[in-house]
Amino acid sequence: MAKWVKKLVADGHISKDQWKEAETIARSKGRKPEAVLAELGYVGEDVMREYQSAALGYEMIDLATIETDPAVITQVPESVARENIVFPVEMRGESLVVAMNDPMNLEVLDKLRFILNKDIQVVVAPTDSIQAAINANYGQHESESVDSLIQEFTETAIDFTETELSEAEAEAEAEETSPIIRLVNLIISEAVQMRASDIHIEPFDDRIRIRYRIDGVLVERDSPPKRLQSAMTSRLKIMASIDITEKRRPQDGRITTRINGKDFDLRVSILPTHYGQAIVMRILDRDNIKVGIRNLGFSEENYRNFLKIIRRPNGIFLVTGPTGSGKTTTLYSALGELNRPDKKIITAEDPVEYYLPGINQVEVRQTIGLTFSRIIRSMLRQAPNVILVGEIRDTETAEMAIQASLTGHLVFSTLHTNDAPGSITRLIDMGVQPFLVASSIMAVMAQRLVRVVCLKCKQPYMPDASELDEFDITAEMAEAANFSRGKGCNHCQHTGFRGRKAVFEMMMMNSALREMAFKSEPTQTLRRQARLFGMKTLVQDAVEKACEGVTTLTEAYKLEGGGH
């Protein structure tokens, strides 16, 4: 096993079994194991490149922080840069330094040396940042921005209100040169580039409001003129294969699109409101679920417990938290760890958000009676080892999941409760017999997401005394801590935060807690007992991360009381 592969395994991106599986498939097909790993979806290509480059001694660079001299950019024609996905960084003596994703691609290197007639030195950068640098420095094929296109619409008086007359007319309009199509495409690509998780398009009396949710916070963009409302709605409905003549009922659809060489799925939800149809698009990036377990944000103790739980042969493991708290990412990371040829995994989801190779995924369809409980009943006849139930919503689903765990299956599922101990009482309140809850549940984990301090503008600071008192941080603890906050820069859109990490509350069941569940004890009593056995609360985990400089105490404050 190569050095870089060992480090990839040690850092939790892949398991030894996943590497062995990739090697076996690669031998049988005469291919490279790393190519198979990426195809199986176990780890992103960029992550592998980073580890390979470090092992081979290549320098990794962040193109977002580098200002390139225009004279250097002219050394490589735009067509060559785009075709080969390379970007000129600087001149070092007589050599041109170019950023590539794969420094071992000798064919591209030879081609560059021949075309440019120069000695080439290689540095490594992720594909998407190379694409972004090319677009920023050479000018995109669509050189306009959302702002400039909206400005163009505001200044002209083109009337689009009749666009919804028929699907045929709207389809006929669907040429890439159509202004509405350009605007919709630019909104989607801008949201992806800004790392948004959702796009909200909301109609009001005199305007359309467009907002992106970035790191859990909504950011407002420029508003297109009200007269574009019908045309934008029609265009998005056509892209999502939704009936454009229906305006009175809520509708759902899915858009598959390619941005900067990457495939994205957008889950579209349309809701009729007083001023028209409100649209929300959830952006699903498959790379988001390729997070290794090690990178989810677990403390050392929680990491060991998590691995112990997912390697159990049977029982129920519940992950709880509100919508958008990262439950799906955590459970998919667990499935990725278990996804091996000797295990059969079946999921029941509503809807299937990400498609995972090697896993049987079933989508709930209420209209034809295909409910969670019915899917579980049928999937048990398929002899799975591991079952994922998207959400426990009713007594029947809960009882079926418990029966599955008691008959020798490992069951993962989610619940909407504020904290881990609350899940036990929620199941009993649903009508599940306390003895079934006590005997089947192995552990419950609550989680939330906190914003991460931007690494580019991070600076140390000392919180004031009231903040420290709020979280019982002593002077000695504060002295040893590395409190940090971001002052705001272009990299983080001047928010001081970039990206999010999960904080966890892991309640491992033991004989005392099982006894209390059997007696239907209240949540407060379960919580007190769990803390006596060493359970760290969500707030405590967030405060620890703030002391390490990963997040801030303000983010920990938002978690008090179990809320966002």
Side-chain angles (χ1 to χ4, degrees):
M1 192 186 283
K3 237 185 214 176
W4 69 271
V5 179
K6 285 180 183 168
K7 184 139 179 48
L8 207 60
V9 172
D11 289 353
H13 289 288
I14 57 167
S15 66
K16 282 181 183 172
D17 293 319
Q18 286 174 333
W19 175 253
K20 281 177 190 163
E21 182 191 345
E23 279 189 314
T24 307
I25 295 169
R27 268 196 301 273
S28 66
K29 293 186 175 178
R31 305 190 46 214
K32 288 184 177 179
E34 47 265 46
V36 175
L37 264 185
E39 271 172 34
L40 291 169
Y42 291 155
V43 65
E45 218 169 307
D46 286 338
V47 174
M48 279 194 291
R49 280 290 173 258
E50 189 178 325
Y51 279 77
Q52 279 178 307
S53 305
L56 294 166
Y58 286 101
E59 181 189 347
M60 280 291 296
I61 63 162
D62 182 358
L63 287 173
T65 62
I66 291 170
E67 281 192 29
T68 306
D69 183 346
V72 173
I73 291 167
T74 57
Q75 301 277 340
V76 181
E78 181 179 353
S79 57
V80 174
R82 287 191 184 280
E83 186 189 335
N84 300 288
I85 315 177
V86 297
F87 182 74
V89 178
E90 62 180 357
M91 292 297 296
R92 285 183 191 164
E94 295 299 307
S95 301
L96 174 65
V97 178
V98 297
M100 291 175 64
N101 174 249
D102 182 3
M104 302 308 290
N105 193 334
L106 303 178
E107 190 183 328
V108 168
L109 279 170
D110 288 342
K111 193 196 297 185
L112 288 174
R113 286 189 183 108
F114 177 75
I115 294 171
L116 307 175
N117 194 22
K118 275 188 171 50
D119 182 40
I120 304 292
Q121 285 185 31
V122 176
V123 291
V124 181
T127 305
D128 55 353
S129 70
I130 295 172
Q131 300 265 22
I134 292 170
N135 290 338
N137 289 278
Y138 286 104
Q140 293 169 294
H141 297 307
E142 297 169 317
S143 57
E144 67 224 330
S145 66
V146 174
D147 297 342
S148 67
L149 202 49
I150 287 173
Q151 184 68 28
E152 186 185 316
F153 280 129
T154 308
E155 289 168 0
T156 55
I158 308 164
D159 189 11
F160 289 95
T161 51
E162 298 304 310
T163 313
E164 278 193 326
L165 283 176
S166 74
E167 188 165 353
E169 281 180 30
E171 290 272 25
E173 169 119 345
E175 298 171 12
E176 287 306 313
T177 53
S178 160
I180 279 294
I181 290 167
R182 294 205 323 268
L183 176 62
V184 168
N185 290 348
L186 279 168
I187 287 170
I188 293 171
S189 62
E190 182 186 69
V192 166
Q193 279 162 12
M194 290 177 76
R195 302 176 301 103
S197 58
D198 306 87
I199 303 169
H200 296 250
I201 300 173
E202 302 153 313
F204 291 101
D205 182 22
D206 57 348
R207 67 184 181 120
I208 306 166
R209 181 165 72 177
I210 296 178
R211 296 188 289 175
Y212 304 151
R213 190 179 291 281
I214 302 167
D215 294 336
V217 178
L218 283 167
V219 177
E220 189 163 348
R221 300 295 293 136
D222 278 2
S223 298
K226 176 74 174 172
R227 56 193 163 77
L228 303 185
Q229 183 180 322
S230 300
M232 285 176 70
T233 305
S234 289
R235 175 61 190 152
L236 285 165
K237 282 188 171 187
I238 289 164
M239 289 172 79
S241 304
I242 295 173
D243 179 6
I244 68 167
T245 59
E246 177 58 73
K247 299 177 190 177
R248 299 165 303 162
R249 293 192 180 94
Q251 293 169 287
D252 294 300
R254 201 176 183 108
I255 295 171
T256 301
T257 185
R258 193 169 180 83
I259 298 162
N260 286 345
K262 267 177 79 176
D263 290 318
F264 289 87
D265 280 341
L266 280 75
R267 210 171 73 208
V268 183
S269 168
I270 296 177
L271 184 72
T273 69
H274 182 61
Y275 291 112
Q277 297 168 87
I279 302 167
V280 176
M281 290 177 276
R282 165 68 62 86
I283 300 169
L284 304 172
D285 178 0
R286 194 171 284 191
D287 285 354
N288 288 348
I289 55 154
K290 290 177 185 170
V291 184
I293 291 174
R294 182 48 104 176
N295 299 327
L296 286 172
F298 286 121
S299 64
E300 204 52 50
E301 186 186 354
N302 282 344
Y303 175 68
R304 283 197 305 271
N305 286 335
F306 187 79
L307 287 181
K308 204 185 298 175
I309 292 159
I310 67 172
R311 286 170 182 163
R312 286 276 301 271
N314 64 299
I316 291 188
F317 175 47
L318 290 175
V319 180
T320 83
T323 305
S325 59
K327 302 189 296 291
T328 304
T329 303
T330 299
L331 288 175
Y332 277 4
S333 296
L335 292 186
E337 178 71 19
L338 298 171
N339 187 10
R340 297 195 301 270
D342 62 334
K343 287 235 182 326
K344 171 142 182 161
I345 302 173
I346 308 183
T347 74
E349 301 170 69
D350 183 19
V352 172
E353 287 196 7
Y354 300 95
Y355 296 102
L356 302 168
I359 290 175
N360 301 276
Q361 293 171 275
V362 185
E363 190 155 307
V364 168
R365 295 188 191 278
Q366 301 285 356
T367 48
I368 58 168
L370 192 60
T371 59
F372 276 121
S373 52
R374 194 163 176 183
I375 293 169
I376 299 168
R377 194 174 289 117
S378 301
M379 68 167 63
L380 290 178
R381 298 189 196 112
Q382 299 265 319
N385 302 98
V386 182
I387 292 170
L388 168 67
V389 181
E391 189 186 334
I392 292 177
R393 292 177 184 165
D394 52 48
T395 316
E396 194 182 0
T397 306
E399 285 177 343
M400 285 301 305
I402 285 170
Q403 289 304 327
S405 76
L406 294 174
T407 52
H409 303 86
L410 180 60
V411 180
F412 297 144
S413 192
T414 70
L415 259 184
H416 287 295
T417 60
N418 279 339
D419 58 7
S423 302
I424 305 294
T425 44
R426 170 67 59 85
L427 287 171
I428 293 168
D429 290 346
M430 269 185 185
V432 180
Q433 293 293 331
F435 74 89
L436 287 174
V437 175
S439 57
S440 62
I441 290 180
M442 301 180 293
V444 184
M445 186 173 80
Q447 76 174 73
R448 297 287 190 285
L449 294 174
V450 292
R451 291 185 294 168
V452 173
V453 175
C454 174
L455 294 173
K456 300 282 182 259
C457 60
K458 187 175 186 175
Q459 54 186 30
Y461 87 109
M462 182 52 74
D464 56 43
S466 61
E467 274 188 286
L468 298 174
D469 289 345
E470 176 74 35
F471 298 107
D472 300 324
I473 298 170
T474 63
E476 292 77 28
M477 288 162 69
E479 195 64 40
N482 294 313
F483 293 111
S484 300
R485 65 179 168 198
K487 66 179 179 189
C489 63
N490 289 335
H491 190 60
C492 60
Q493 276 102 40
H494 299 279
T495 59
F497 297 97
R498 186 178 168 93
R500 291 190 289 173
K501 255 208 171 12
V503 291
F504 301 97
E505 178 176 286
M506 177 88 78
M507 186 175 84
M508 303 289 289
M509 293 298 279
N510 55 34
S511 53
L513 289 168
R514 289 187 200 285
E515 183 68 27
M516 293 169 89
F518 183 68
K519 291 177 179 171
S520 304
E521 297 272 10
T523 304
Q524 299 91 317
T525 318
L526 284 163
R527 168 174 277 275
R528 204 176 307 121
Q529 188 68 37
R531 290 190 68 177
L532 283 174
F533 282 107
M535 179 186 83
K536 278 185 188 149
T537 64
L538 288 163
V539 175
Q540 283 173 322
D541 197 24
V543 169
E544 277 186 17
K545 286 183 170 66
C547 290
E548 291 163 11
V550 174
T551 186
T552 64
L553 288 177
T554 316
E555 290 292 295
Y557 189 75
K558 292 179 188 174
L559 300 173
E560 291 215 302
H564 274 294

